[in-house]
């Protein structure tokens, strides 16, 4: 079933739990993974990013997990999530530098918060988002400079 989803939201699994989940190699057909509100932090995001066996997720929801720059960099480097169309990182603290890192490494889709102009410039520099259908930038502090760079 292509609509298969794995939902662990609001379970307090933490960074160690997310890292252990990422070691599961039997989940090959899920299309949605929701780990929102689990306080996975950079440790959990980095653990997830190291997974190379999951090639089918379209949506990865990591909303409100205390993930910062280090986690964003690790997520951006994952090359096995080839179908990923939406990465939800809203209400984390990746900031402008994290958004720039994600832009640099070519994440397929992105919903973040508080990236401001510097982050928008980083996103604009991404040339590998060939599957991007939606880029949600609500409440991100993007000013004139960022809007001009994004051509919006």
């Amino acid at each position: 079933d292509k609509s298969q989803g794995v939902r662990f939201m609001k379970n307090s699994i933490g960074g160690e739990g997310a890292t252990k989940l990422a070691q599961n190699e039997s989940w090959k057909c899920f299309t949605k993974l929701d780990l929102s509100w689990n306080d996975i932090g950079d440790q959990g995001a980095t653990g997830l990013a190291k997974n190379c066996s999951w090639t089918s997720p379209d949506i990865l929801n990591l909303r409100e997990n205390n993930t910062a720059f280090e986690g964003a960099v690790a997520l951006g480097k994952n090359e096995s999530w080839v179908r990923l169309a939406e990465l939800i990182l809203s209400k984390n603290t990746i900031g402008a530098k994290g958004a720039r890192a994600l832009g640099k490494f070519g994440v397929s889709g992105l919903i973040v918060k508080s990236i401001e102009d510097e982050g928008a410039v980083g996103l604009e520099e991404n040339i590998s988002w060939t599957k991007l259908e939606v880029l949600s930038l609500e409440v991100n502090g993007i000013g004139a400079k960022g809007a001009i760079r994004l051509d919006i």
Side-chain angles (χ1 to χ4, degrees):
D1 178 19
K2 282 299 189 186
S3 63
Q4 192 172 19
V6 179
R7 298 180 65 182
F8 283 103
M9 58 190 196
K10 295 184 180 181
N11 278 295
S12 302
I13 64 170
E16 186 177 343
T19 300
K20 288 187 189 248
L21 276 176
Q23 294 170 358
N24 182 329
E25 295 183 8
S26 64
W27 295 347
K28 297 192 188 256
C29 296
F30 72 90
T31 58
K32 299 171 189 156
L33 177 59
D34 188 344
L35 294 174
S36 55
W37 296 289
N38 273 296
D39 197 24
I40 67 169
D42 286 336
Q43 177 189 7
T46 300
L48 290 169
K50 290 179 181 176
N51 180 290
C52 297
S53 63
W54 302 344
T55 57
S56 61
D58 296 321
I59 300 171
L60 178 56
N61 186 350
L62 299 177
R63 174 187 175 97
E64 230 169 299
N65 268 300
N66 293 316
T67 301
F69 173 72
E70 184 181 315
V73 169
L75 291 167
K77 288 181 179 179
N78 180 292
E79 295 180 3
S80 65
W81 301 336
V82 294
R83 293 186 38 188
L84 188 65
E86 192 171 332
L87 174 58
I88 302 169
L89 288 168
S90 55
K91 298 220 175 190
N92 282 289
T93 56
I94 69 163
K97 290 181 181 178
R100 285 186 75 100
L102 287 165
K104 177 180 178 185
F105 295 116
V107 171
S108 301
L110 186 62
I111 299 173
V112 297
K113 183 180 179 186
S114 298
I115 62 170
E116 300 175 347
D117 285 344
E118 181 184 348
V121 169
L123 294 174
E124 180 266 339
E125 292 170 354
N126 182 301
I127 58 171
S128 58
W129 290 357
T130 58
K131 296 185 181 192
L132 184 66
E133 293 181 16
V134 176
L135 177 61
S136 178
L137 297 171
E138 297 97 10
V139 193
N140 276 296
I142 296 173
K145 178 183 173 188
I148 289 168
R149 289 298 296 263
L150 288 169
D151 195 27
I152 54 177

